[in-house]
Amino acid sequence: MNPARRCSALLRKLCVSSLGGPTERRPFSPGAVSGPAGTRNCHPGVGRGRVKGTYPQMKPSGASTTGAAAVSPMGGSSSSRLFGTLAQSLSSSPLAQPHMYPDENPDHDLDQDLAEIDPNQLLRECEEALQRRPARPHRDLVYPSGTAPCRHKHNPSIRVMQWNILAQALGEGKDGFIHCPLDALNWQERKYLILEEILTYRPDILCLQEVDHYYDTFQPIMAGLGYQGTFLAKPWSPCLDVEQNNGPDGCALFYRRSRFSIQTTAHLRLSAMMLPTNQVAIVQTLNCQVTGRSVCVAVTHLKARSGWERLRSAQGADLLQSLRSITSRGGSSSQTEAASGPVPLVVCGDFNAEPSEDVYRRFSSSPLGLNSAYKLLSSDGQTEPAYTTWKIRPSGESCSTLDYIWYTHDALSVECLLDIPTEEQIGPGRLPSYHYPSDHLSLLCDISFREEPHRLM
């Protein structure tokens, strides 16, 4: 069976609801989206036009929606069954969940054996599954002043995506998004919105937080798309407090196998004041098979909520200390590379901290020489976006910048970034919604290695 036909068969299985038939999607009138009734005007690829629809009337969470299908809590057993079938179709053996803090990458051998999925076909079928939802408003790739696309075949750019995708158990069970219809959070559809976003931009490195469907969804699908993945759960995930949860949430890191090979992996449980906390980080040193150069990638999710600023600062200090040790060139296999200094860093995460917080200052002033990529969207190159998350809870409206992509500015350069949607594009109900699957926006940038003096000789 060719990859396209296999992909189609798998997606048809995923489209079937727990009631035995296709999931109905009629949360708004046909006129809510420009174009023929019931169609989704969404064109794959960056830089191509999309038809923007008007926003459907947002209803308080839990309100009834005419024609909407019954929603199984958490995407519950039906979701697990469906994606269990997918995983078994892609691999001859089921995926086993590893220990909490393994020393090695638990998915290394499993991912190699999974069948190939055609990403274009999968993207088309995601769009077909979402045809009754409004298209995601188009986001432009912006080139900061003085930069241009890297055309050097020996040093192509590396696309990095950072995204808190919103744990399913938290979205439906704890977060209280009072202007988001419960139907919009249905995992049987929301998973397609997440996959559509990833497939549209096709990052080389993907860093995710609040992943509570790793083993039954993201690991088998991303492996079939050619990615190597690893996952680290929170020790005491709040998802476990929600009835019919899908297990703990945590951080996940994926890299494209055709572009990188793995050198080292570290799974960290972050400490504060010498005490272990509930937050974690994954740190991997990757070798770029095109340039032969190494890059260290980290993904983390720091403590949430106001009042915990000192804890976040301590967690950041602990992570920075670990990164300094990991990126030292002492273990380099190349004498030339060892002489060139520390391995350059890319650190992605939901820091749950505004730029005014101490943990942000720790990263921006670190001896590791880190800069925040999204500052480059501002006119002066020194100001973060106004928001990366915008939500309405019973406690009120929250519009904050909490998510970042940090990079070693002396060794890496940022060529372009995915722009932040406007308030109009986000809509009055804020995030999440029918066309934004998470309460956080995805961040994306293309980076490349700066030329080093010894490489120019």
Side-chain angles (χ1 to χ4, degrees):
M1 182 183 295
N2 65 50
R5 189 176 296 274
R6 182 191 301 112
C7 179
S8 179
L10 293 172
L11 264 292
R12 279 198 297 272
K13 290 181 181 180
L14 302 182
C15 286
V16 179
S17 73
S18 59
L19 300 178
T23 303
E24 291 291 332
R25 292 176 195 85
R26 300 183 184 276
F28 52 91
S29 64
V33 180
S34 301
T39 61
R40 178 175 169 81
N41 295 296
C42 182
H43 306 286
V46 177
R48 298 178 63 180
R50 293 166 187 255
V51 180
K52 300 177 184 177
T54 58
Y55 298 98
Q57 179 65 38
M58 306 300 268
K59 298 184 178 182
S61 180
S64 62
T65 305
T66 304
V71 179
S72 59
M74 303 313 109
S77 58
S78 64
S79 177
S80 297
R81 283 199 305 273
L82 290 168
F83 278 99
T85 302
L86 172 62
Q88 291 171 14
S89 300
L90 293 173
S91 177
S92 58
S93 59
L95 298 173
Q97 296 195 18
H99 296 296
M100 183 72 75
Y101 296 100
D103 293 328
E104 302 296 333
N105 182 358
D107 306 322
H108 181 72
D109 295 327
L110 293 171
D111 286 358
Q112 304 296 333
D113 301 327
L114 297 177
E116 179 184 354
I117 297 175
D118 178 359
N120 294 315
Q121 178 69 14
L122 182 55
L123 178 58
R124 286 193 293 270
E125 295 187 19
C126 284
E127 293 169 356
E128 182 179 352
L130 296 165
Q131 60 183 325
R132 292 192 181 275
R133 289 199 177 206
R136 290 178 295 110
H138 174 70
R139 295 172 65 182
D140 289 322
L141 280 176
V142 177
Y143 292 86
S145 177
T147 66
C150 179
R151 305 296 184 188
H152 201 298
K153 65 178 181 180
H154 299 300
N155 187 23
S157 61
I158 299 168
R159 177 158 291 181
V160 179
M161 177 179 277
Q162 146 63 28
W163 200 7
N164 179 331
I165 60 172
L166 176 60
Q168 184 63 24
L170 301 183
E172 285 193 279
K174 294 194 78 169
D175 277 343
F177 302 118
I178 60 174
H179 285 262
C180 178
L182 188 61
D183 183 56
L185 295 170
N186 177 9
W187 181 245
Q188 294 301 325
E189 291 184 18
R190 197 171 76 87
K191 63 194 174 191
Y192 290 110
L193 275 175
I194 297 171
L195 288 172
E196 182 190 54
E197 181 113 345
I198 294 169
L199 287 164
T200 296
Y201 300 110
R202 302 187 190 180
D204 300 301
I205 296 170
L206 174 64
C207 295
L208 303 177
Q209 299 86 39
E210 290 200 24
V211 180
D212 63 347
H213 277 273
Y214 179 79
Y215 293 101
D216 62 0
T217 304
F218 293 102
Q219 196 279 338
I221 290 179
M222 296 302 292
L225 291 168
Y227 290 84
Q228 187 73 43
T230 189
F231 172 76
L232 187 56
K234 295 175 183 174
W236 310 298
S237 168
C239 293
L240 300 179
D241 297 331
V242 179
E243 187 179 358
Q244 295 185 332
N245 64 77
N246 198 61
D249 75 300
C251 294
L253 195 160
F254 296 93
Y255 64 86
R256 196 181 296 279
R257 290 195 299 266
S258 61
R259 183 71 189 271
F260 300 100
S261 60
I262 186 73
Q263 292 183 357
T264 63
T265 297
H267 285 185
L268 308 178
R269 182 174 177 180
L270 300 180
S271 295
M273 285 73 80
M274 305 297 290
L275 296 174
T277 69
N278 193 36
Q279 279 63 49
V280 298
I282 302 171
V283 186
Q284 292 192 323
T285 304
L286 307 176
N287 181 65
C288 176
Q289 300 186 54
V290 179
T291 64
R293 298 169 70 176
S294 299
V295 61
C296 182
V297 182
V299 55
T300 194
H301 188 186
L302 301 188
K303 173 65 180 174
R305 310 298 181 194
S306 60
W308 295 93
E309 291 81 4
R310 290 183 63 189
L311 181 66
R312 282 192 287 271
S313 180
Q315 289 178 333
D318 183 48
L319 178 56
L320 287 168
Q321 183 177 359
S322 296
L323 293 174
R324 289 189 68 178
S325 175
I326 292 169
T327 57
S328 64
R329 292 286 189 176
S332 175
S333 59
S334 167
Q335 291 184 352
T336 301
E337 195 171 43
S340 65
V343 178
L345 261 169
V346 176
V347 184
C348 296
D350 174 0
F351 279 59
N352 277 306
E354 290 273 14
S356 58
E357 276 199 30
D358 188 56
V359 66
Y360 182 94
R361 291 191 290 270
R362 281 187 183 275
F363 269 74
S364 60
S365 61
S366 166
L368 291 167
L370 299 174
N371 192 27
S372 175
Y374 265 74
K375 289 198 304 184
L376 300 177
L377 283 182
S378 64
S379 57
D380 61 359
Q382 300 298 318
T383 308
E384 294 287 353
Y387 50 84
T388 61
T389 177
W390 199 341
K391 64 200 81 175
I392 304 175
R393 287 178 167 142
S395 58
E397 189 164 355
S398 174
C399 179
S400 309
T401 298
L402 306 178
D403 308 274
Y404 305 95
I405 301 176
W406 297 92
Y407 69 101
T408 307
H409 59 80
D410 286 342
L412 303 169
S413 62
V414 173
E415 296 180 0
C416 64
L417 304 107
L418 191 62
D419 206 358
I420 300 294
T422 64
E423 179 179 357
E424 179 185 8
Q425 289 174 322
I426 289 175
R430 308 315 184 201
L431 308 173
S433 66
Y434 282 114
H435 49 283
Y436 288 102
S438 174
D439 56 326
H440 290 251
L441 298 167
S442 64
L443 305 184
L444 180 138
C445 67
D446 290 352
I447 63 173
S448 60
F449 293 101
R450 294 187 186 273
E451 291 294 343
E452 296 177 341
H454 71 272
R455 297 179 184 272
L456 300 174
M457 296 176 63

